[in-house]
């Protein structure tokens, strides 16, 4: 059996998995810090959409065989969980359902665009 007959990982896919986990860890950490860290150029909803849109994009390429619908479900659940955890009084954060809605809109939008362009393309 030759070395080229096994499954291959594209350069971006090899980058996507560690980038996904790093972004996931960073997003959850920033979301649960006791005081909000805001980017002055982006409002709160835009920050949520950027974070979860990025996670959806990276997750799709990191795990191309994982169904996009399941990825959307799990990322949306994560967004809801973050909002529930932000209700912990000692964090001094706000639990806002509109943040979860923004997360979910970004996830669905990114996954819909990727589906529209048939990305990532699966090897046969």
């Amino acid at each position: 059996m030759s070395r080229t007959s096994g499954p291959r990982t594209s350069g971006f896919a090899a980058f996507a998995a560690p980038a996904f986990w790093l972004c996931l860890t960073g997003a959850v950490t920033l979301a649960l810090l006791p005081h909000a860290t805001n980017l002055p150029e982006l409002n709160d909803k835009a920050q949520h959409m950027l974070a979860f849109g990025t996670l959806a994009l990276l997750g799709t390429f990191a795990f191309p065989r994982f169904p996009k619908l399941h990825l959307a479900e799990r990322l949306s659940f994560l967004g809801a969980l973050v909002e529930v955890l932000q209700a912990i009084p000692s964090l001094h954060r706000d639990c806002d359902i509109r943040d979860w809605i923004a997360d979910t809109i970004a996830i669905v939008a990114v996954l819909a665009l990727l589906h529209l362009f048939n990305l990532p393309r699966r090897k046969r």
Side-chain angles (χ1 to χ4, degrees), residues 22-111:
L22 182 64
C23 287
L24 180 79
T25 303
V28 171
T29 300
L30 289 172
L32 298 179
L33 286 175
H35 297 286
T37 305
N38 289 321
L39 299 172
E41 304 84 32
L42 297 175
N43 69 30
D44 183 51
K45 301 302 176 268
Q47 290 178 43
H48 277 266
M49 294 181 91
L50 177 63
F52 279 86
T54 301
L55 288 170
L57 177 70
L58 291 172
T60 300
F61 284 94
F63 313 107
R65 293 185 179 176
F66 194 70
K68 289 182 178 107
L69 185 60
H70 292 175
L71 179 64
E73 173 190 54
R74 280 150 178 93
L75 288 175
S76 180
F77 177 77
L78 176 65
L81 180 62
V82 164
E83 292 307 313
V84 169
L85 293 173
Q86 285 182 341
I88 297 171
S90 62
L91 293 180
H92 304 288
R93 302 295 293 260
D94 294 323
C95 175
D96 186 352
I97 192 169
R98 293 172 298 182
D99 290 343
W100 169 70
I101 292 169
D103 299 341
T104 303
I105 289 170
I107 293 162
V108 170
V110 167
L111 294 179

Side-chain angles (χ1 to χ4, degrees), residues 6-20:
R8 293 185 196 173
T9 304
S10 72
F12 187 73
F15 160 81
F20 172 83

